[in-house]
Amino acid sequence: MDPRLIVALDYPSADPALALADQLQGLCRWFKVGLELYLADGNAIVHQLRSRGFSVFLDLKFHDIPNTVAGAVRSAAATGAELLTVHAAGGPDMLEAAAQAVACLPNPPQLLAVTVLTSMDQLQLAAIGIDHSPETQVVRLADAASEAGINGFVASPEEVAALRHRFPTATLVIPGIRPAGADVADQKRIATPAAALAAGASYLVIGRPITQAPNPVAATQAILEEMQHATVPLVANAIL
Ligand code: C5P
């Protein structure tokens, strides 16, 4: 078991998601529920996972006006999820509204600001009017989130070292992880589990390399083995 591994349950219904969670009992503590699964099963999937003793990262990536996001964050927190995402691109007022909404709660979840999606590269950014590098954009968005009081970020493995240097105590949650030889699929800015941890990641989010593997338990065990042998900077060990 390694508390730094978060398995992304990107499934269309609860049955396969819970079947995988049950298979990984003892190997994995965290599961990520994203839009596909949440829209299919709602809060029930979060409750089912929590009743099995797992921690839940509810990754709904809120991006709306400040008042709407504050309300969404409160509703998401009421599910018992311990990690929640908002898009940093929603702007300083939205980020502040989200941070204030969780600050008022008795058992606040940790908020994570999503910077630049791991599927975006320079060309994709240019197509939406952003003419600087992914790393520059990630740092700019993380600065905005940090100023709003959010000390957790989602970014790609390529920006972990820069973020860890700038934010020594931040929670850095890193998707776009591909063990050597795994299918890259739609991800663009990727690294192996060991490289992401060595750069300063707090948590690794891994989906298809486990969920699409012929033997998900064996795939998870191989990833855990690689994680155990990674050299990590001391500051990156602060996890929930
Ligand atoms: O299957 P794969 O390992 O690529 O899954 C990565 C997961 O991380 C997906 O659930 C995706 O929504 C999520 N994610 C990401 N990039 C971000 C934030 C979240 O890939 N910036």
Side-chain angles (χ1 to χ4, degrees), residues 2-73:
D2 189 321
R4 299 170 300 176
L5 174 64
I6 302 177
V7 176
L9 294 173
D10 292 323
Y11 288 107
S13 65
D15 285 353
L18 292 172
L20 182 71
D22 288 339
Q23 275 187 287
L24 298 186
Q25 186 69 260
L27 291 177
C28 174
R29 176 183 144 198
W30 283 92
F31 288 100
K32 183 173 90 74
V33 174
L35 286 167
E36 182 182 13
L37 182 56
Y38 186 78
L39 290 171
D41 204 52
N43 290 347
I45 186 66
V46 180
H47 297 147
Q48 291 264 21
L49 288 166
R50 284 179 44 77
S51 72
R52 285 161 158 81
F54 296 117
S55 298
V56 176
F57 170 12
L58 188 54
D59 183 24
L60 302 179
K61 297 189 179 69
F62 298 133
H63 190 165
D64 209 314
I65 60 170
N67 185 59
T68 301
V69 167
V73 162

Side-chain angles (χ1 to χ4, degrees), residues 8-10 32 34 57 59 61 114-119 154-156 175-178 184-187 205-209 211:
L9 294 173
D10 292 323
K32 183 173 90 74
F57 170 12
D59 183 24
K61 297 189 179 69
V114 177
T115 57
V116 177
L117 295 173
T118 42
S119 55
V154 182
S156 95
I177 303 296
R178 290 293 179 267
V184 170
D186 55 350
Q187 297 285 20
V205 177
I206 305 185
R208 287 162 291 182
T211 58

Side-chain angles (χ1 to χ4, degrees), residues 89 115-117 120-131 137:
T115 57
V116 177
L117 295 173
M120 301 283 281
D121 57 13
Q122 185 96 51
L123 274 177
Q124 298 277 316
L125 283 178
I128 57 165
I130 295 164
D131 287 325
Q137 182 68 1

Side-chain angles (χ1 to χ4, degrees), residues 118-238:
T118 42
S119 55
M120 301 283 281
D121 57 13
Q122 185 96 51
L123 274 177
Q124 298 277 316
L125 283 178
I128 57 165
I130 295 164
D131 287 325
H132 39 256
S133 70
E135 181 172 316
T136 303
Q137 182 68 1
V138 165
V139 170
R140 181 172 292 188
L141 291 169
D143 279 346
S146 176
E147 277 162 30
I150 297 176
N151 194 34
F153 313 112
V154 182
S156 95
E158 290 181 11
E159 299 88 35
V160 186
L163 287 177
R164 179 54 70 209
H165 180 71
R166 199 169 177 87
F167 303 100
T169 64
T171 302
L172 302 183
V173 177
I174 309 300
I177 303 296
R178 290 293 179 267
D183 187 5
V184 170
D186 55 350
Q187 297 285 20
K188 301 226 160 70
R189 301 177 354 265
I190 57 168
T192 63
L197 290 174
S202 313
Y203 293 94
L204 306 182
V205 177
I206 305 185
R208 287 162 291 182
I210 291 173
T211 58
Q212 310 283 305
N215 182 341
V217 171
T220 305
Q221 281 166 333
I223 288 166
L224 291 173
E225 175 76 12
E226 181 177 341
M227 291 172 70
Q228 288 314 309
H229 291 103
T231 313
V232 298
L234 277 178
V235 286
N237 287 333

